[in-house]
Amino acid sequence: MQHVVVIGAGQAGASLVAKLRSEGFDGAITLIGGESVPPYQRPPLSKAYLLGDMAEDRLYLRPAAFYADQNIALRLGTRVKAVDTVTRTVTLDTDEAITYDALALTTGSQPNRLPTSIGGDLANVFTVRDLQDADAMAPHFAAGKRALIIGGGYIGLEAAAVAAKRGVQVTLVEMADRILQRVAAPETSDYFRALHSAHGVDIREGVGLKALTGDGSVTGAELTDGTTLDLDFAIVGVGITPDMALAESAGVTLDNGIATDAHGRTSDPHIWAAGDCASLVFKGQRIRLESVGNAIDQAEVVAQNIMGKDLDYVPKPWFWSDQYDCKLQIAGLNMGYDSVIVRKGDADGVQSHWYYAGDELLAVDAMNDPRNYMIGKRLIEAGRSPDKAAIADPATDMKALLKA
Ligand code: FAD
């Protein structure tokens, strides 16, 4: 193996190239990224960075010098426009061609946008995906401004928390019956609804956006229940779509993302994929895991497999979200749950929700409860399922469950 080319200089791409070197790969490595800044972490873009509590250079996953020190050619501000799988060549937007022996696609995902027909292209309508998005919206987070957030998933709720903290009057609409419906149990939705309401966010569930209005810039919104709002800005948090454009044009198999096998390889033996753009089989279903933990772990397995190891990627899903003073930590995947056990802690707001399918523990949502998060995570990763009654019983010594 002489030349590994990685397209997409985000969390997965940066993890992949670092792992190649730390595992002793001594061939050439090229990491190509469409953005002009070194690979950085996205989670703070809707949390501490948006709030102004974190400087830009603290977002960077590694100091810029790391890549030169490791003899990794980092091509920033450069997009790959084509992949030729026969000649094993990628073509950059500058028309430069680079040949590869192994290619990794770590192209991430794109935020879904509102159609132009309902005001999606008005000025001051933002999505939250990259540094430019966060920098563009941050100046609008000022006391007395009026914002509409469309979508009650984690990104929308985090943006709502930052805006409310900055004194913005926030309305959040969620088309589904409840916020977090796609990803969490009603108990978790209830927890976060109450948290946001306590901070003055006006959450409207079962209500969609009919249209954003304004002449050039957004100044208002019409909701599906007939309500109208006056606005200074809007944030769209309605999910993401994996970036599969290159994979598709290269003829690689797509299936709910760029389809990878257990090794992270695509349908082309020389092309691998990892992170948000890649789909994988988990418990018999082809899914995508849109999280930092997955981007790192999958990319590191791919790096080792490119070097000829034969490792299966077994995801250990985990996720977090920060809203106001609440840290939510999630272990496992709740897909297919049929019951939820609520365990309250001693202090106000300390709580964990345990998802079961029958008697099998699938996942835990822990709110300001790192101890139960760790216990849940270890149990799930060990494939162990404590009795539901024990979880529900406040007298249970939770740590003892790890030894049982
Ligand atoms: P990305 O980090 O998106 O990197 C992909 C890169 O590929 C991009 O820079 C893109 O420009 C580049 N690219 C695409 N196509 C090309 C091309 N043709 N040529 C060159 N470059 C290209 N996860 C958590 O676990 N916890 C959280 O709290 C959390 N919060 C988040 C908050 C926000 C605001 C966002 C946006 C995401 C959050 N996530 C969180 C998700 C997490 O950041 C992603 O899952 C992770 O970044 C995925 O890494 P990736 O490398 O697959 O994609």
Side-chain angles (χ1 to χ4, degrees), residues 63-109:
F66 169 85
Y67 302 93
D69 291 348
Q70 295 288 317
N71 196 19
I72 294 166
L74 179 60
R75 306 287 302 262
L76 296 176
T78 307
R79 288 190 68 80
V80 173
K81 63 178 184 185
V83 176
D84 184 329
T85 56
V86 177
T87 58
R88 282 188 230 149
T89 305
V90 302
T91 307
L92 309 184
D93 49 12
T94 54
D95 286 333
E96 182 186 344
I98 300 177
T99 53
Y100 62 84
D101 297 295
L103 177 68
L105 300 171
T106 53
T107 47
S109 43

Side-chain angles (χ1 to χ4, degrees), residues 7-13 32-35 40-47 78-81 106-110 128-130 155 158 243 246 274-277 289-293 295 318-322:
I7 307 176
Q11 184 78 62
I32 306 164
E35 296 180 68
Y40 60 92
Q41 38 170 339
R42 296 184 196 278
L45 300 181
S46 53
K47 307 179 181 75
T78 307
R79 288 190 68 80
V80 173
K81 63 178 184 185
T106 53
T107 47
S109 43
Q110 295 284 331
V128 203
R129 182 69 199 174
D130 59 27
I155 299 276
E158 289 179 352
D243 196 329
L246 283 177
D276 276 11
C277 65
L289 292 166
E290 298 161 355
S291 70
V292 164
W318 60 276
F319 190 80
W320 79 95
S321 175
D322 298 328

